[in-house]
Amino acid sequence: MTHSPQAFLLFFLASDYNFAMSPSPRALLILAVFFLSLILVPAPLSAQYWSLQDTFVVTDVNVVDVRRGTIFPDQVVIIEKNRIVDVGPRKSTRYPRNAPSASAHGGYLIPGLWDMHVHLVFGDWFPNAQQISLPLFVVNGVTGVRDMGSELAIVQKWRNDIEDGQLLGPRILSSGPMLDGPKPRFPSSIPVATPEDGRKAVDNLKQGGADFIKLQSLIPRDAVFAIAEEARKQEIAFEGHVPDSVRASEMSAAGMHSFEHLIGIFEGSSPLEDEFLKGDKSESKFLVSYDPARASALAAILAKNQTWQCPTLVWEHGGNLIDVTDFSKDARAKYVPASWKDKTWKTFTEQVKTEFNTDDLATRQKFVDRELEVVQFLHKAGVPFLAGTDTPPGVYVFPGFSLHEELQRFVAAGFTPLEALQTATLNPALFFHREDFGTVEKGKIADLVLLEANPLEDIRNTQKIAAVILNGRYFSHADLEKILQKVENSAKKETPQPEHSGVF
Ligand SMILES: [Zn+2]
C-alpha cells in the first residue's frame, strides 16, 4: 500500500472528523493546507507516511497499564515516527499544540495485540493470504504475529515490504518451515529422519534467518534431542509440539521455549504416559487416567523452567466439536476466499473427524472443558501463557478475529480479563525478550489499539476497536472499514488455484 501525501491528509481529516463533533480551527487549518498541497505537490510523490515524519498526539484517552491493571484517565500519548515518546496526564504533559492529533473521547488504549500461533504461508493451502490474512490481522488490532510454520523466503519478503511501508501487515517473527518426521504431515515442513537431518535443518534455518525452530509431532526421538542440542549450540529457540515420542517433562528440561496445543500435558499427567508415548492415546484415556499428583509434578517442572504454553483454545474447542458446528452462518466467512472454505477447510474437517476415532461427542465436550481447567491449574502453578489461534489451518479460525475469541477462552478458563490481555501483549514481549513493545509506555514502538470500552471490565471489549496505530501509523475506524471492504473484494475475486500438492 502506498499513498500520496494528499491521501494521508485525507486519512487524517477523516480521523479528525470521526473523533471531533465539529471541525476545530486545527482541522480547518489542515483543510487549507490540504487544498494548498493539491496545487503545490505533484500527486505521486514519495510513499512516506505523514506519521513517520511528524509528531502525532492522542488526547483524552484512558491508558491501560497491562502490567498492573491500572487505568490512567485523561492521558495524552505522544508519538514520534514509530515510537511513543511520552505518556502522561493532559495537564502536565508537554507537546507541540499544533501537532496533528486525535481525541480518543475517553476510549481505552491498549498495546497492539499478538497472535502467537499463526501460519502465514502454509504450502498452497491458503492462497492469497497476503491480501487476506495480513490486513485482517491489522484491522483486528493484531499488530504482531508469531509465524509457526511457513515458507521462509516469502515471509521474509513480506516482512521487508511491511517495514518499507509497501505492504500492510503486522510485525512478524517466523520459524520458516517446520521440522517434522520422515513423512511430514503438513506442507511447509522439512522431513527429519535422523539426528543428522535434524542438526542440518537447524543449521540451515539459522543461516537462512529463521527467528526460531518449530517442532512437529512426528520427529523421531533421537532426532528431537539432536535438534534441541544443535539449537542450544546455535543459540536459537526451539518451540512447538512436544513430539509424540518424548515426554513433556523431557522437552521442558531440554529447554523447549513453548509448547503448543497442550500436547504432552495430559500424557504427562497420567500413569499411562509410557503407553501414550508408543502412540496409543485418546481423549477418553486422558480423562479417565488423569492423575492430579502427576499433573502437579509436571506443572512444577514447567513453572520452574518457565516453559511457555500456547494452548490454542479456540481451535481445541472448534476442532473437537467440528462435527456438530454449523459454519455456514459465520458472518466472517465473506472475508476469506472460497477455496479456503470449500477446499482446504472442508478437506481438513474430514481428516480431523477421522482422528476422533473412538472418542464420542460427550467425551470430546468433556475434554474441552477439562482443558480449560488444566489451563487454569497450570496458570495458578506459575506456568506462563501465550494467546495463539493456529489461524488459518484451524478450520474457521480467522486471522485477527479469532485472537479476540482466544482471549475470551482464557477468561472462560478463569483468567482475569487483565491476565487474558497479558497473554497477547506483555507476555509475547517477555517471551521474545523484547523491551520495545508490549505496553503503552514511553520508548515503546507505537503499536496500539484504541478501544471504545474498558477491556479490564469485559474482555469482549477488545473487539470494540475505534482505531489502530501500527508502527506509528494511525488508522481511524473509517480507514479500517475501508481495508475490510478491500479484503472482502479480494476474497471474492480469488484467482483459481491448482489442486493441492499431495499433503492431504
Ligand atoms: Zn499450527
Side-chain angles (χ1 to χ4, degrees):
M1 287 215 348
T2 57
H3 293 287
S4 66
Q6 287 92 335
F8 283 101
L9 279 163
L10 267 182
F11 265 9
F12 173 62
L13 275 176
S15 64
D16 194 76
Y17 280 113
N18 270 346
F19 283 103
M21 297 308 287
S22 61
S24 60
R26 179 169 44 82
L28 291 173
L29 179 70
I30 289 158
L31 204 61
V33 172
F34 166 64
F35 283 114
L36 208 62
S37 74
L38 281 182
I39 303 161
L40 298 177
V41 185
L45 213 74
S46 84
Q48 277 252 303
Y49 301 120
W50 65 267
S51 60
L52 295 180
Q53 303 162 337
D54 296 313
T55 301
F56 181 67
V57 184
V58 182
T59 61
D60 190 13
V61 67
N62 291 294
V63 168
V64 180
D65 172 0
V66 295
R67 293 183 197 277
R68 284 163 289 267
T70 315
I71 303 279
F72 294 100
D74 199 12
Q75 302 284 294
V76 292
V77 177
I78 301 149
I79 295 162
E80 230 175 76
K81 295 187 165 57
N82 72 336
R83 292 273 172 173
I84 300 171
V85 292
D86 208 358
V87 181
R90 178 172 50 89
K91 293 211 174 84
S92 58
T93 306
R94 295 163 62 94
Y95 63 94
R97 297 288 148 171
N98 59 353
S101 69
S103 168
H105 287 286
Y108 292 78
L109 196 65
I110 61 169
L113 302 167
W114 279 74
D115 187 331
M116 293 296 281
H117 192 132
V118 311
H119 297 270
L120 292 177
V121 185
F122 205 57
D124 55 4
W125 283 32
F126 298 97
N128 299 359
Q130 182 181 331
Q131 292 86 25
I132 306 293
S133 299
L134 297 182
L136 283 183
F137 285 125
V138 174
V139 164
N140 282 283
V142 175
T143 59
V145 296
R146 182 174 61 141
D147 178 32
M148 296 296 279
S150 259
E151 299 302 320
L152 189 57
I154 299 175
V155 170
Q156 285 171 331
K157 166 92 166 70
W158 290 2
R159 178 155 63 190
N160 291 342
D161 289 350
I162 289 167
E163 272 168 25
D164 291 350
Q166 304 295 316
L167 184 65
L168 180 72
R171 220 164 280 289
I172 299 168
L173 288 159
S174 178
S175 64
M178 316 177 268
L179 310 196
D180 205 351
K183 290 197 181 105
R185 178 171 176 196
F186 293 108
S188 301
S189 299
I190 299 172
V192 174
T194 65
E196 194 40 43
D197 290 346
R199 277 189 284 266
K200 212 159 67 189
V202 171
D203 189 49
N204 287 342
L205 286 169
K206 169 87 184 192
Q207 299 310 318
D211 297 299
F212 54 91
I213 304 296
K214 163 81 184 290
L215 304 192
Q216 287 288 93
S217 297
L218 305 176
I219 310 171
R221 187 178 163 86
D222 53 353
V224 171
F225 292 108
I227 289 164
E229 193 188 280
E230 185 66 19
R232 276 197 305 270
K233 209 161 76 188
Q234 302 250 8
E235 296 184 332
I236 186 166
F238 61 103
E239 40 210 66
H241 296 192
V242 170
D244 287 344
S245 59
V246 187
R247 293 165 204 276
S249 55
E250 291 175 307
M251 289 318 288
S252 178
M256 194 165 183
H257 197 28
S258 77
F259 293 0
E260 312 303 305
H261 323 297
L262 300 173
I263 297 173
I265 303 296
F266 283 90
E267 290 87 335
S269 303
S270 163
L272 303 178
E273 189 176 21
D274 287 342
E275 194 183 308
F276 294 152
L277 253 56
K278 290 178 198 136
D280 187 14
K281 50 186 172 185
S282 68
E283 291 182 352
S284 57
K285 282 186 190 167
F286 287 159
L287 286 171
V288 296
S289 69
Y290 184 82
D291 175 355
R294 281 176 172 268
S296 291
L298 178 56
I301 292 169
L302 300 178
K304 177 174 151 276
N305 296 332
Q306 287 293 286
T307 308
W308 291 82
Q309 300 298 313
C310 183
T312 61
L313 296 168
V314 168
W315 175 226
E316 283 301 300
H317 182 267
N320 269 292
L321 306 181
I322 206 163
D323 51 339
V324 290
T325 309
D326 177 10
F327 294 113
S328 67
K329 291 177 191 68
D330 197 311
R332 302 164 299 182
K334 64 183 175 187
Y335 298 119
V336 303
S339 76
W340 294 25
K341 294 172 274 196
D342 304 338
K343 199 192 279 177
T344 304
W345 282 344
K346 195 158 168 258
T347 317
F348 195 39
T349 297
E350 292 312 312
Q351 199 182 44
V352 169
K353 277 192 212 166
T354 64
E355 286 162 12
F356 292 156
N357 206 358
T358 54
D359 292 323
D360 61 10
L361 179 62
T363 301
R364 286 181 271 122
Q365 269 162 337
K366 213 166 141 193
F367 183 72
V368 168
D369 291 342
R370 179 64 63 83
E371 284 191 308
L372 291 190
E373 290 167 24
V374 166
V375 162
Q376 179 68 351
F377 168 73
L378 294 173
H379 174 56
K380 290 285 173 202
V383 180
F385 276 84
L386 299 167
T389 63
D390 217 349
T391 183
V395 175
Y396 276 69
V397 178
F398 291 89
F401 295 103
S402 290
L403 192 270
H404 298 273
E405 295 176 83
E406 188 71 15
L407 301 183
Q408 292 162 32
R409 293 299 291 165
F410 276 114
V411 171
F415 282 48
T416 65
L418 172 66
E419 289 166 344
L421 196 55
Q422 286 171 338
T423 66
T425 54
L426 186 61
N427 292 5
L430 294 171
F431 176 83
F432 289 124
H433 308 289
R434 289 276 295 258
E435 304 276 315
D436 56 348
F437 63 80
T439 59
V440 185
E441 289 172 319
K442 186 175 169 171
K444 306 284 174 179
I445 292 172
D447 286 344
L448 301 159
V449 187
L450 181 60
L451 304 174
E452 286 164 9
N454 187 350
L456 303 185
E457 269 167 20
D458 185 340
I459 196 64
R460 289 172 300 180
N461 288 340
T462 60
Q463 292 165 297
K464 296 181 181 163
I465 295 176
V468 172
I469 298 175
L470 176 68
N471 204 31
R473 215 178 129 195
Y474 182 85
F475 294 92
S476 70
H477 191 265
D479 300 334
L480 299 176
E481 288 293 324
K482 272 181 229 153
I483 296 166
L484 255 185
Q485 188 57 55
K486 223 172 129 186
V487 172
E488 192 181 337
N489 295 345
S490 303
K492 264 187 220 140
K493 55 173 193 256
E494 180 194 21
T495 46
Q497 296 290 320
E499 286 300 305
H500 283 307
S501 53
V503 280
F504 276 113

